[in-house]
Amino acid sequence: MKNHKIILAGCGTMAHTWLDYASNRNSAEIVGFVDVNAATAKALAERRSLQVPVFTDLSDALDQTDASLVFDVTIPAAHKQVVTTALERGCHVFGEKPMAESLKDAREVVKTAQRTGLNYFVMQNRRYQKEIRAFKQLLATQTIGQVGSIHADFFLGPHFGGFREAMESPLIMDMAIHTFDQARFLTGADAVSVYCHEYNPPGSWYEGNSSAVCIFEMSDGSVFTYRGSWSAVGHSTSWESDWRVTGSKGTARWNGSDNPVCEVIDKSRDHGFMDHVKVIEPASTWPGQEGHFGCLDEMFSALEEERLAETDCQDNFKSMSMVFKAMESAGSGKKIFF
């Protein structure tokens, strides 16, 4: 098995999750920490009992170690520089979302990965949950027939404080990529157009638009709708959204927490004014780890098998495009094509 020598860039709270994973993988070895604040990097190294050098600049770290892989756990504003620096210096990159803070920058990052022939895989941890895997399998086997529409409701009221509450579009820019990416994952389809309306409802504690409604037309002819709010108090959905998918033979639902369930036409009974239906509750058989660990399993497997990961930057760019095209639509008040 290949030994992956890893530089961790970004030593904040999320770094612990990535280090927890690396500590449990025999082929992973941390060889350096990078953070703009040297004291933060040193404190993390001490807390994790890792005798590794710390740096404030990634280039210096690459000069002084034999790293082959960079974990990018920096803030979004730093992602483009970190990723392109690592790729240009011959290192693969696994990183937190989003790839960049603009579609233009994300496109440049993808081109850099393609030009260097190296891998840049992006964290989309919400694909890695046994219930969503069961939901995807249910749709893929056409248990409800051909998918016609996908609907996701996301209603929560978190009080983050800090930068999110000051953002112009906190919901779409900071959170919606998870749900948009899940929609692509579940259907295997990509967005071809979007109409988005943003707003900030009464009682919101956000300065920007904490709520939005989006209508996406998808490449398979289906329609994906998203209704979301980060200032909705009461009757909360899960962080994975509340899903309804309609098909030619029935409807599937998933509340983001429990196993999905569907109702399909019961062909054993004559239909009346309304079709009789039967309930199908698919079992979850996915054996993988969940969350970050599941996604990192896929990243390392892809790297070792010399293939693209499920969340390779070229694929993730399509989910990012949904975010930025939705923002463009909200700003123009028009339907936007991809």
Side-chain angles (χ1 to χ4, degrees):
M1 183 177 292
K2 295 180 180 178
N3 189 47
H4 307 286
K5 297 190 176 183
I6 303 163
I7 289 173
L8 173 77
C11 298
T13 302
M14 183 55 71
H16 288 285
T17 300
W18 290 71
L19 291 173
D20 287 343
Y21 179 87
S23 68
N24 290 316
R25 189 176 188 93
N26 293 332
S27 63
E29 177 187 357
I30 303 296
V31 298
F33 283 170
V34 178
D35 196 278
V36 292
N37 188 326
T40 299
K42 290 178 182 177
L44 181 63
E46 291 175 0
R47 181 174 178 181
R48 304 292 304 207
S49 299
L50 289 172
Q51 303 299 316
V52 298
V54 302
F55 306 89
T56 57
D57 183 84
L58 178 58
S59 292
D60 291 340
L62 294 169
D63 286 339
Q64 298 180 47
T65 67
D66 56 353
S68 58
L69 173 64
V70 170
F71 282 174
D72 178 17
V73 199
T74 60
I75 62 174
H79 288 178
K80 179 186 177 184
Q81 181 180 2
V82 168
V83 174
T84 53
T85 297
L87 293 173
E88 295 285 5
R89 295 290 301 274
C91 283
H92 302 286
V93 183
F94 299 169
E96 283 289 339
K97 62 86 184 169
M99 288 193 285
E101 289 193 310
S102 72
L103 205 55
K104 176 179 178 291
D105 284 350
R107 188 177 289 110
E108 291 179 11
V109 170
V110 171
K111 288 181 178 178
T112 302
Q114 293 171 330
R115 176 172 52 78
T116 60
L118 295 166
N119 298 118
Y120 173 33
F121 302 151
V122 184
M123 177 56 64
Q124 290 293 168
N125 53 302
R126 284 177 165 80
R127 289 187 178 208
Y128 297 88
Q129 184 178 353
K130 61 184 179 181
E131 292 84 6
I132 197 172
R133 293 279 161 167
F135 197 25
K136 178 178 174 63
Q137 180 66 15
L138 184 155
L139 300 179
T141 54
Q142 293 203 328
T143 303
I144 63 169
Q146 182 179 349
V147 170
S149 63
I150 312 100
H151 308 281
D153 282 348
F154 178 90
F155 292 97
L156 289 166
H159 290 265
F160 291 108
F163 73 93
R164 289 182 179 87
E165 293 187 10
M167 289 174 67
E168 183 177 347
S169 303
L171 180 71
I172 294 295
M173 286 300 293
D174 194 58
M175 184 65 203
I177 189 171
H178 288 301
T179 312
F180 295 172
D181 185 73
Q182 285 174 310
R184 290 187 54 245
F185 170 69
L186 287 169
T187 63
D190 299 322
V192 296
S193 76
V194 60
Y195 175 78
C196 174
H197 175 70
E198 282 191 305
Y199 61 103
N200 205 29
S204 171
W205 48 94
Y206 293 81
E207 293 180 25
N209 290 318
S210 65
S211 305
V213 177
C214 301
I215 304 170
F216 291 93
E217 292 176 300
M218 306 298 284
S219 58
D220 63 355
S222 64
V223 173
F224 165 49
T225 70
Y226 171 84
R227 302 187 302 178
S229 178
W230 251 356
S231 58
V233 178
H235 291 289
S236 298
T237 65
S238 73
W239 283 87
E240 312 304 329
S241 296
D242 190 341
W243 297 80
R244 174 187 291 265
V245 181
T246 64
S248 57
K249 299 177 182 177
T251 294
R253 297 200 65 183
W254 179 49
N255 64 10
S257 300
D258 303 318
N259 282 327
V261 62
C262 68
E263 293 183 342
V264 298
I265 297 172
D266 187 349
K267 294 183 178 180
S268 68
R269 303 175 65 182
D270 293 333
H271 71 80
F273 179 65
M274 301 282 283
D275 286 314
H276 295 287
V277 296
K278 59 182 179 181
V279 176
I280 298 176
E281 298 183 18
S284 176
T285 59
W286 188 61
Q289 297 194 87
E290 296 186 289
H292 270 68
F293 280 27
C295 193
L296 283 163
D297 275 347
E298 163 64 5
M299 290 175 174
F300 275 101
S301 294
L303 190 59
E304 292 169 1
E305 295 165 12
E306 298 183 348
R307 61 174 174 82
L308 295 181
E310 192 176 88
T311 61
D312 176 73
C313 62
Q314 297 175 72
D315 180 85
N316 195 247
F317 180 82
K318 298 175 182 178
S319 296
M320 274 203 70
S321 295
M322 294 174 75
V323 172
F324 286 104
K325 295 294 186 181
M327 292 297 305
E328 183 180 348
S329 174
S332 67
K334 298 178 180 179
K335 179 179 180 179
I336 301 297
F337 291 87
F338 286 66

